[in-house]
Amino acid sequence: MLEKIDQQWLKSFHCVYENNSFKKAAEFLCLPTSNVSRHIALLEEQLDVRLFDRTTRRIASTEAGEHLYLRTQPLLDKLNDALEEVTQHSREVMGQLNVLMPDSPELAQAVVSFCTQHSSISLCCDTNISPKEDFVDGFDVILSFHRGKLEDNNWIAKEIKRWPSAVVVAPKLLKTSLKPFKITDLKHVPCINSFTALNGTPWVFKSLTGELITQRVQSAFKVNSGQLAKAGALAGLGFAILPAEFCRDEIDAGYLEVIELEYKPEDLVLYAFYASRKHIAKKVPIFIEHLQRQANLDVQK
């Protein structure tokens, strides 16, 4: 029976089962939806059993589909682990690399240069600046910005780049708003939230001893983009925490002013996250090391 089953059929089946969607499975596998549907149909035909009940609105696994998934998942995991162990002994970086990352020109260039250097890599990349927990399954590497302490999860985090930050404001806003001297004063002035703003995350500062201190702020301009946050600050819509490097020209030109408080803003950090498994495919650490080298080159410019 095994010789009659294509491994890709099983991979498509597992992906559809885990996502409850042919469309989402196709996006993850980087295949046309029609291909995934055909794989399931061929598998059902070969096994002579229906694996999914389909309606116009949803799909659900049948009892046979549930049984097939539960029995084959451990086997496929073991097979994948065995193959990844073997690739550790290979000098060549190969295989499909699934990446979730912010839509950043600098990161895009780093990813392109990696694929240029490693022609045997097949890239499947999705862009999202603040990925949700239920969206990350199936990716080899997730790149995400964070400020402050990371939440506990099952992923390993590697720091790619760190940006010292500053509280900045357009001088024209100071003509109509109080100038804060302590972080608690930020509760009484308009502020701009960025990156994790939609989750209601407070601003994060650090003491001289490195202790993290959070401060809630009021904001009528909430964005998940550093570019938008800077544009809003320049327009006088509020105070903002931004990487100093990111707005150096505007500060030097006098379009933005740095606000000194009793605590410094915590650095903005780009992390690469990957699954905490015993055996990791060689492509993952090599990709992360490439990003770190690119970040170091940018710092030295």
Side-chain angles (χ1 to χ4, degrees):
M1 174 62 75
L2 185 60
E3 68 276 4
K4 299 179 181 179
I5 304 295
D6 191 305
Q7 184 180 335
Q8 184 60 56
W9 302 352
L10 281 174
K11 189 172 182 179
S12 294
F13 163 73
H14 277 256
C15 208
V16 172
Y17 180 94
E18 291 166 357
N19 289 278
N20 285 320
S21 167
F22 282 85
K23 185 175 183 295
K24 289 181 179 179
E27 289 174 353
F28 169 68
L29 295 169
C30 296
L31 293 172
T33 305
S34 58
N35 285 28
V36 175
S37 297
R38 186 171 70 255
H39 294 162
I40 302 302
L42 289 169
L43 184 59
E44 289 179 326
E45 179 182 347
Q46 192 62 54
L47 296 175
D48 194 25
V49 66
R50 194 167 187 81
L51 300 172
F52 295 104
D53 288 325
R54 306 162 177 82
T55 67
T56 54
R57 294 191 175 186
R58 62 186 295 272
I59 68 167
S61 64
T62 62
E63 185 176 346
E66 180 88 11
H67 182 75
L68 179 63
Y69 178 83
L70 294 176
R71 292 298 298 271
T72 57
Q73 181 61 32
L75 299 175
L76 288 182
D77 282 345
K78 288 181 179 180
L79 176 59
N80 187 62
D81 287 345
L83 293 174
E84 288 183 351
E85 285 183 50
V86 171
T87 62
Q88 301 301 316
H89 303 287
S90 171
R91 292 185 178 181
E92 187 176 10
V93 180
M94 63 182 71
Q96 180 167 298
L97 181 65
N98 300 307
V99 179
L100 178 63
M101 71 179 200
D103 190 2
S104 155
E106 292 79 11
L107 282 177
Q109 186 56 48
V111 170
V112 169
S113 65
F114 176 78
C115 292
T116 301
Q117 293 176 24
H118 303 282
S119 58
S120 295
I121 283 289
S122 172
L123 178 74
C124 187
C125 183
D126 197 349
T127 54
N128 190 309
I129 199 167
S130 184
K132 301 296 186 293
E133 185 67 31
D134 58 354
F135 188 58
V136 300
D137 288 340
F139 289 98
D140 298 304
V141 180
I142 298 166
L143 301 174
S144 182
F145 293 107
H146 290 268
R147 197 189 297 277
K149 186 179 180 180
L150 294 175
E151 296 181 2
D152 292 333
N153 55 45
N154 295 323
W155 294 76
I156 294 174
K158 292 288 186 181
E159 182 176 315
I160 300 299
K161 189 174 181 180
R162 178 178 293 266
W163 293 267
S165 298
V167 176
V168 296
V169 65
K172 59 184 173 183
L173 180 58
L174 293 177
K175 296 178 180 179
T176 59
S177 175
L178 295 173
K179 183 176 181 178
F181 293 93
K182 295 185 177 182
I183 63 171
T184 52
D185 295 338
L186 294 169
K187 294 187 294 183
H188 309 293
V189 296
C191 294
I192 297 172
N193 267 336
S194 61
F195 294 113
T196 53
L198 301 185
N199 295 328
T201 303
W203 283 11
V204 184
F205 296 84
K206 57 186 175 184
S207 68
L208 292 176
T209 60
E211 177 188 4
L212 296 183
I213 302 157
T214 58
Q215 176 61 54
R216 293 280 179 183
V217 298
Q218 59 169 327
S219 178
F221 191 71
K222 299 177 181 178
V223 297
N224 250 19
S225 161
Q227 291 284 357
L228 276 174
K230 183 169 78 170
L234 288 167
L237 294 177
F239 295 78
I241 288 185
L242 291 171
E245 173 187 322
F246 182 52
C247 49
R248 177 56 56 198
D249 291 343
E250 290 79 7
I251 293 172
D252 292 342
Y255 299 130
L256 289 175
E257 179 179 326
V258 176
I259 300 298
E260 298 293 345
L261 303 169
E262 80 272 37
Y263 301 120
K264 297 287 187 183
E266 172 64 317
D267 298 342
L268 180 69
V269 184
L270 175 66
Y271 288 100
F273 297 89
Y274 61 94
S276 56
R277 293 185 296 181
K278 182 178 180 181
H279 302 291
I280 298 295
K282 189 175 182 180
K283 60 190 176 185
V284 172
I286 295 298
F287 175 65
I288 292 174
E289 289 168 10
H290 176 83
L291 294 178
Q292 291 172 325
R293 283 197 302 272
Q294 291 294 113
N296 288 334
L297 289 174
D298 291 341
V299 170
Q300 293 169 10
K301 286 182 180 179

